[in-house]
Amino acid sequence: MTTNTAYGAVKRPEKSSSPWAIARRKFLRNKLAMISTVFLGIVILLSLLAPVLAPYLSPIPDITKVNIGKMSIPPNDEYLLGTDKSGRDVMTRLLYGGRISLLVGASATAIVVILGTIVGSVAGFFGGAVDSLLMRFTDFVLNFPFLVFVIVLNTILYGIVDGLWVLILVIGLLSWGGVARIVRSKVLSERENEYVLAAISIGTPPAKIIIKHLLPNVLSTIIVQATLLFASLIVAETGLSYLGFGVPEETPSWGNMLAFANEPDVLQGKPWMWMPPALAVTFTILSINFIGEGLKDALNPKSQR
Amino acid sequence: MTTKELTEQGNTQKERENLLEVKNLKTYYPIHGGFFKRVVGNVKAVDDISFTIKKGETMGLVGESGCGKSTTGRTILRLIKPTGGQIIFDGEDITRISGTKLRKARQDFQMVFQDPYASLNPMQMVGDIISEPIKNFERRDKKELVEYVKSLLVRVGLPEAAYYKYAHEFSGGQRQRIGIARALALNPKLIIADEPVSALDVSVQSQVLNLLKDLQEEFGLTYLFIAHDLSVVKHMSDTIGVMYLGNLVEVASNKDLYSEPLHPYTQALISAIPEPDPKLRKERIVLQGDVPSPANPPTGCPFHTRCPMAQEICSQEKPPLKEVRPGHHVACVLY
């Protein structure tokens, strides 16, 4: 007992600790990851509450209307972050922009993770011809010229699907190759464990082996990948919107706001137009990356104790 | 009735007392090479072996690491695809069945794995690990299933509370008990134990071995017991098969094999068992050289490269496994 306290007394929890519980405890102890989680939580909350908050923060809550009388006002008491070239309030657009950017990031990540996991785990578990076929297809998708595809799909789907969802679908359908490869390689090494052989020998059907045995054991990798992807897909949205192939122009997104500030005059003299979205993107991505790193540490069995 | 029919009838009667019959089983792993990944050779992990196990008995399989013991066990359970031969289990040929039929057949033969750490899914609760085989084949009332699994846990010497724990909270010996409980869950007829104690402490080994023996009596199990430890096999088995380089070189009853080993390889193995009595110092046969590669096995008798009694014929002809005394089979030109 005394030796226990000498080592800082790692209290044994009452209930049996599953591997997930151990990971959760480790994650909660990681300060940087926890600060990032809180920050990301606030960003998400502010974005969700944009329609509620906007009227309080700005006298012109309309995000799309051009307002000639109020162009390019620097930040002051009335306009907390100033207005842009079209006389729209930057604060309001920043809040609404967060909704779009996070929605695009999250939805595209979901598509990528689901597709990548299905393709990767099936290829890895069955191996042989199935593996070759699926992985060649993955290579094919990975080699699509991203920008060209985005432009073409945008043109084809314009008017049929809402502009925002075109972007989400295009990003999602073109980016799953990397996840598929990572999941496949993890499944390949994981299925060498005897518990997979044991599952076969007790008559567990293949689909159940993948879902109940392999996926829980590669889930840590998938989660980490998903967080990092989330960050990079927000950047993708921002970049595409900047180039004009992303979110329709009148819809505010962080990328669109940045795209608006492409004149030297704005860049040099009117930082309030582009600083807020730039900082928002930077800090959101940073926090997501820190969370991803934290999860990686927490879920890595080798870093236990 | 023709003589042919008579012998066929005789065969089916013989199969009834035999739970498992392995005939000329071969498992080759192809070696791919060259630009187009052509098959350039085979690793002959199991090369033409035959044996039978009677209901309720234990057959031990010994040999050095890499001699194909585990591959034999896994091939019999159809976890590895056999290259040739026949596996007849309880009168039914299971060599070529596949898909759902194979999955259904698996209820009757189970395996206890060598590595108690890798053979349990770290993300699963022990209760789920043991109830999974049952859930795969039948729908049972949840409460009843939990009770059943808990009774299994108690039967293998673990507390009921183990149901709610995870594998990482147990020691090697306890994990192996969990693995045994999983194998028992479906009330199988045959259990293949693939070096079930080689990863355990000596003190724990005997406990697990005795548990296996008790369970055999209680459930009427038949074992194929794979090990490299001769004293462990002696403790467990009724008959023993000695493997060398994918071949079965000698099969005999427990008593015969230890008192009168016939094959030079078996003699060398048995001479290596440490003798606790210092006065009874016996001649130790030390084999020269290494086991040849199973990808490029020697011609003739696989053992002739290391055999102290090798003759010229040994490198030319592979001696078949023949019964030289009642119940004592050996593959050697000397007999």
Side-chain angles (χ1 to χ4, degrees):
Chain A
M1 273 296 135
T2 42
T3 47
N4 230 356
T5 39
Y7 284 107
V10 186
K11 247 199 214 155
R12 252 192 91 72
E14 289 288 301
K15 248 198 126 190
S16 185
S17 51
S18 74
W20 295 117
I22 295 171
R24 193 169 56 232
R25 238 178 299 140
K26 265 199 285 184
F27 186 77
L28 289 175
R29 277 197 223 114
N30 186 334
K31 280 201 190 96
L32 194 59
M34 282 315 288
I35 292 169
S36 301
T37 312
V38 171
F39 178 79
L40 189 67
I42 291 170
V43 171
I44 291 172
L45 206 68
L46 284 178
S47 305
L48 287 177
L49 294 176
V52 185
L53 292 172
Y56 293 100
L57 294 168
S58 155
I60 33 170
D62 195 319
I63 44 165
T64 48
K65 220 195 268 164
V66 177
N67 210 331
I68 299 195
K70 295 181 173 163
M71 291 193 311
S72 307
I73 304 173
N76 57 37
D77 286 348
E78 202 180 356
Y79 303 100
L80 291 174
L81 291 174
T83 63
D84 65 11
K85 289 187 301 188
S86 305
R88 296 175 293 206
D89 182 56
V90 173
M91 186 73 201
T92 313
R93 281 177 73 81
L94 187 67
L95 290 176
Y96 277 98
R99 300 184 114 193
I100 302 296
S101 290
L102 292 175
L103 177 70
V104 172
S107 313
T109 305
I111 294 175
V112 166
V113 166
I114 291 169
L115 281 179
T117 305
I118 292 173
V119 172
S121 55
V122 168
F125 178 72
F126 288 102
V130 178
D131 183 28
S132 305
L133 205 72
L134 283 175
M135 288 332 278
R136 288 305 77 72
F137 180 61
T138 306
D139 289 343
F140 177 61
V141 172
L142 275 172
N143 281 321
F144 271 156
F146 188 73
L147 266 180
V148 176
F149 215 77
V150 171
I151 296 165
V152 171
L153 266 187
N154 244 336
T155 323
I156 294 172
L157 294 175
Y158 193 80
I160 303 168
V161 188
D162 184 45
L164 185 63
W165 288 98
V166 174
L167 183 69
I168 292 173
L169 276 175
V170 170
I171 296 180
L173 291 177
L174 288 181
S175 315
W176 55 268
V179 174
R181 280 197 177 171
I182 291 167
V183 171
R184 170 181 172 268
S185 70
K186 277 297 281 185
V187 166
L188 273 182
S189 75
E190 200 62 41
R191 67 172 253 215
E192 290 305 310
N193 276 321
E194 273 183 345
Y195 69 78
V196 177
L197 211 58
I200 298 173
S201 77
I202 57 174
T204 309
K208 206 170 152 192
I209 295 179
I210 293 179
I211 293 166
K212 283 194 77 178
H213 293 277
L214 290 171
L215 285 187
N217 282 292
V218 301
L219 197 59
S220 58
T221 317
I222 297 174
I223 289 173
V224 173
Q225 276 304 312
T227 51
L228 300 178
L229 239 145
F230 187 25
S232 69
L233 292 184
I234 287 177
V235 178
E237 182 276 323
T238 311
L240 284 174
S241 296
Y242 183 85
L243 291 174
F245 301 123
V247 182
E249 202 207 306
E250 65 279 6
T251 317
S253 80
W254 291 341
N256 266 347
M257 293 174 78
L258 285 172
F260 234 69
N262 58 359
E263 290 158 23
D265 165 48
V266 176
L267 274 174
Q268 284 170 3
K270 292 161 184 162
W272 69 85
M273 285 185 198
W274 55 267
M275 242 350 177
L279 288 177
V281 171
T282 310
F283 282 113
T284 305
I285 290 163
L286 262 183
S287 69
I288 294 172
N289 271 316
F290 284 138
I291 293 170
E293 287 292 321
L295 285 173
K296 200 155 88 182
D297 282 345
L299 294 169
N300 180 3
K302 273 171 205 143
S303 71
Q304 258 174 41
R305 241 173 269 178
Chain B
M1 235 183 245
T2 61
T3 40
K4 200 186 161 207
E5 275 170 337
L6 271 173
T7 47
E8 267 177 4
Q9 204 179 28
N11 275 341
T12 44
Q13 253 162 16
K14 206 177 100 196
E15 275 160 16
R16 244 172 234 153
E17 54 184 284
N18 288 336
L19 183 68
L20 178 73
E21 202 165 335
V22 176
K23 287 181 187 164
N24 305 96
L25 187 69
K26 293 186 186 99
T27 308
Y28 294 171
Y29 295 111
I31 306 166
H32 295 281
F35 189 66
F36 291 107
K37 296 199 172 162
R38 274 177 306 125
V39 177
V40 292
N42 283 304
V43 173
K44 298 181 176 175
V46 177
D47 196 9
D48 202 349
I49 71 170
S50 309
F51 60 87
T52 53
I53 307 178
K54 291 197 171 74
K55 256 180 198 147
E57 287 198 346
T58 303
M59 162 129 182
L61 211 52
V62 280
E64 302 169 61
S65 41
C67 73
K69 313 180 292 283
S70 294
T71 308
T72 306
R74 290 178 180 192
T75 310
I76 291 168
L77 289 187
R78 290 295 316 278
L79 295 171
I80 300 173
K81 211 174 166 221
T83 313
Q86 254 190 322
I87 307 157
I88 296 159
F89 178 78
D90 213 9
E92 201 188 327
D93 190 338
I94 59 163
T95 328
R96 298 274 170 259
I97 59 170
S98 62
T100 318
K101 209 174 166 205
L102 175 62
R103 222 166 55 72
K104 289 259 155 69
R106 290 194 187 285
Q107 294 180 69
D108 285 333
F109 41 90
Q110 289 293 312
M111 185 152 189
V112 175
F113 288 87
Q114 174 175 12
D115 185 345
Y117 292 88
S119 62
L120 303 176
N121 185 345
M123 294 292 178
Q124 261 186 320
M125 215 164 68
V126 168
D128 290 333
I129 292 176
I130 299 171
S131 47
E132 185 171 326
I134 302 157
K135 284 182 191 157
N136 284 341
F137 293 108
E138 47 190 286
R139 296 205 154 271
R140 264 204 221 179
D141 177 51
K142 192 157 189 276
K143 234 178 180 171
E144 192 190 315
L145 183 62
V146 173
E147 284 312 307
Y148 174 65
V149 171
K150 282 182 177 171
S151 73
L152 272 177
L153 281 168
V154 172
R155 184 60 202 86
V156 298
L158 290 167
E160 272 188 12
Y163 187 97
Y164 302 101
K165 293 191 174 180
Y166 287 84
H168 71 94
E169 296 171 89
F170 295 93
S171 70
Q174 288 172 319
R175 282 158 173 252
Q176 204 55 295
R177 288 171 193 266
I178 296 169
I180 292 169
R182 170 173 62 190
L184 276 179
L186 285 169
N187 265 321
K189 293 172 183 155
L190 172 76
I191 288 185
I192 296 191
D194 185 4
E195 308 215 22
V197 296
S198 62
L200 307 177
D201 282 348
V202 181
S203 56
V204 183
Q205 282 191 1
S206 59
Q207 294 170 11
V208 172
L209 290 176
N210 288 332
L211 173 68
L212 283 171
K213 277 202 133 176
D214 293 345
L215 292 172
Q216 178 170 37
E217 231 165 80
E218 197 176 326
F219 295 90
L221 296 168
T222 307
Y223 287 139
L224 175 63
F225 194 90
I226 299 167
H228 60 245
D229 187 330
L230 281 163
S231 48
V232 165
V233 170
K234 187 178 182 185
H235 181 70
M236 293 297 294
S237 316
D238 299 303
T239 38
I240 296 170
V242 179
M243 277 188 80
Y244 182 80
L245 209 64
N247 291 270
L248 209 50
V249 295
E250 186 164 0
V251 181
S253 70
N254 189 333
K255 205 176 117 243
D256 289 351
L257 192 93
Y258 283 91
S259 61
E260 208 189 353
L262 295 179
H263 197 282
Y265 179 62
T266 317
Q267 288 167 356
L269 279 184
I270 286 177
S271 81
I273 301 176
E275 176 58 59
D277 189 347
K279 284 178 202 150
L280 271 173
R281 186 156 275 157
K282 48 182 187 175
E283 197 70 33
R284 169 88 208 268
I285 307 167
V286 180
L287 291 178
Q288 302 298 322
D290 284 320
V291 187
S293 159
N296 184 19
T299 54
C301 173
F303 188 57
H304 84 260
T305 51
R306 302 169 73 194
C307 185
M309 279 165 268
Q311 302 159 12
E312 213 178 306
I313 186 170
C314 292
S315 60
Q316 289 150 14
E317 261 176 62
K318 187 168 168 178
L321 191 71
K322 57 183 178 197
E323 192 165 7
V324 292
R325 299 194 192 154
H328 201 142
H329 304 255
V330 66
C332 185
V333 288
L334 293 173
Y335 304 97

